[in-house]
Amino acid sequence: MKVFITRRIPQEGMKILSQAGVCKVSLWDSDEPVPRVELLKGVEGAHGLLCLLSDKIDTEVLDAAGPNLKVISTLSVGFDHMAMDEIKKRGVRVGYTPDVLTDATAELTVALLLATARRLPEGVVEVKNGGWSTWKPLWLCGYGLSGSTVGVIGLGRIGMAIARRLNPFGVKRLLYSGRTAKSYAAEVEGEYVPLDTLVSESDFVVVSCALTPETQGLCNKDFFSKMKNTAVFINTSRGAVVNQEDLYQALSSGQIACAGLDVTTPEPLPTDHPLLTLKNCVVLPHIGSATYSTRGIMAELSANNLLAGLQGTDMPSELKF
């Protein structure tokens, strides 16, 4: 059976596919995204497709693949890059990689929060450019977690893992919002509150929700206007959850203190984007799951999902829709 892989992936995944002996692999052998024309050519007649978040899997791609397509395996926990209704209509199974990247993403979120709140990137620049002169009482002061109120928007797997890691810093209250209250929130003494309450009472607002029609553009001018002007905003979910123009205004006007982003719209963010001119905005290149072990496990799971879909067996991690 023919399989197309849209990018060079960790060897752990390639090894599983080559040893399985059930498929002929065609690979876009590059660290860069596959051009659209090559994607359409590559999927032609394919029984399986292994893709990444950066690949738009729409009707055109599905049509190009044709009726042979049995399975799409995405090397991601997110699936907003795929036309799920159309995929469902065609009876194509979908595999994804939840859970395995939870810890890595939660660690990165805490690292980004601390780096942003304590102004670490600014400090590094000052050391390098000679701005560090003598000890000054208020120079490079930031915001600490001890005694603070943290609000997590979306207390799913990753949101909960973030909350567990932040609690030992002496957080006084942990608020969360979402569709429903979660029984497991008791573990971190989480308080389920309306979004407006979370936004207005939190010293740190952490976005960890899925991108849905309801959450698209959720963090907008109205949202930021309700935050404290000493509040820290962190987003490691999806870039489209945030209205970046509104965030820029909130940061440049002093409406909020600072922001840390691991996700943007678009990705990569253009180097001349207004957000990158601000000292109080830390932007990372979407590296939430970027540990060697996590990416290796993601590749293994993607490969096993793909093989199961090709052979009609149970997937280790199938997306039910």
Side-chain angles (χ1 to χ4, degrees):
M1 288 181 278
K2 181 184 173 185
V3 163
F4 182 62
I5 303 178
T6 65
R7 191 88 64 90
R8 197 179 291 153
I9 65 169
Q11 279 306 306
E12 290 93 330
M14 295 302 294
K15 190 176 174 186
I16 287 169
L17 293 175
S18 63
Q19 289 178 351
V22 298
C23 57
K24 183 184 177 187
V25 174
S26 174
L27 169 72
W28 177 252
D29 195 12
S30 170
D31 284 330
E32 298 303 318
V34 59
R36 183 73 176 179
V37 63
E38 296 294 337
L39 172 59
L40 294 171
K41 197 190 300 179
V43 298
E44 207 173 296
H47 297 86
L49 171 64
L50 199 159
C51 65
L52 276 67
L53 264 180
S54 51
D55 305 313
K56 192 172 176 59
I57 310 302
D58 55 13
T59 303
E60 186 182 22
V61 172
L62 297 170
D63 285 343
N68 281 351
L69 191 64
K70 295 168 174 272
V71 58
I72 299 169
S73 177
T74 182
L75 191 96
S76 66
V77 65
F79 45 88
D80 43 273
H81 55 300
M82 299 189 283
M84 298 306 294
D85 289 345
E86 191 62 33
I87 291 167
K88 182 180 181 181
K89 201 187 298 179
R90 297 175 188 227
V92 176
R93 294 171 70 190
V94 176
Y96 69 138
T97 61
D99 300 324
V100 296
L101 49 69
T102 297
D103 287 339
T105 305
E107 285 173 9
L108 188 280
T109 303
V110 174
L112 177 58
L113 184 151
L114 292 169
T116 303
R118 294 298 302 272
R119 301 169 66 178
L120 301 193
E122 278 184 82
V124 171
V125 168
E126 292 298 308
V127 170
K128 289 182 176 180
N129 69 13
W132 181 17
S133 55
T134 184
W135 188 88
K136 306 181 186 90
L138 292 175
W139 188 55
L140 285 177
C141 282
Y143 301 93
L145 280 161
S146 183
S148 70
T149 297
V150 172
V152 179
I153 299 173
L155 200 73
R157 284 183 297 263
I158 294 173
M160 189 63 183
I162 294 166
R164 284 193 193 102
R165 284 161 174 77
L166 288 176
N167 247 0
F169 283 91
V171 171
K172 189 176 181 183
R173 292 176 74 204
L174 193 129
L175 312 179
Y176 73 98
S177 66
R179 289 187 190 139
T180 57
K182 311 292 185 188
S183 58
Y184 52 75
E187 183 195 326
V188 290
E189 296 180 15
E191 301 173 43
Y192 181 60
V193 295
L195 182 62
D196 280 0
T197 303
L198 182 149
V199 173
S200 61
E201 295 186 11
S202 295
D203 300 301
F204 298 86
V205 174
V206 181
V207 184
S208 184
C209 57
L211 178 61
T212 65
E214 295 77 42
T215 61
Q216 179 136 9
L218 174 74
C219 306
N220 56 16
K221 185 178 181 180
D222 181 54
F223 179 100
F224 295 121
S225 72
K226 291 170 184 165
M227 286 177 64
K228 299 177 181 180
N229 59 16
T230 53
V232 177
F233 176 79
I234 302 294
N235 182 23
T236 55
S237 61
R238 286 288 176 266
V241 173
V242 177
N243 181 313
Q244 289 174 174
E245 289 69 30
D246 292 350
L247 175 60
Y248 174 80
Q249 290 302 325
L251 288 167
S252 57
S253 67
Q255 174 66 56
I256 66 173
C258 50
L261 311 173
D262 185 42
V263 286
T264 59
T265 306
E267 291 182 359
L269 197 65
T271 53
D272 61 353
H273 194 282
L275 283 173
L276 300 181
T277 65
L278 301 173
K279 282 186 177 179
N280 60 342
C281 187
V282 178
V283 181
L284 299 179
H286 200 152
I287 52 172
S289 64
T291 67
Y292 291 113
S293 62
T294 298
R295 292 284 169 84
I297 294 166
M298 286 173 73
E300 286 177 3
L301 183 52
S302 297
N304 286 322
N305 281 338
L306 188 75
L307 290 173
L310 291 174
Q311 296 169 304
T313 57
D314 287 345
M315 277 188 199
S317 194
E318 183 167 5
L319 189 59
K320 300 296 184 185
F321 55 96

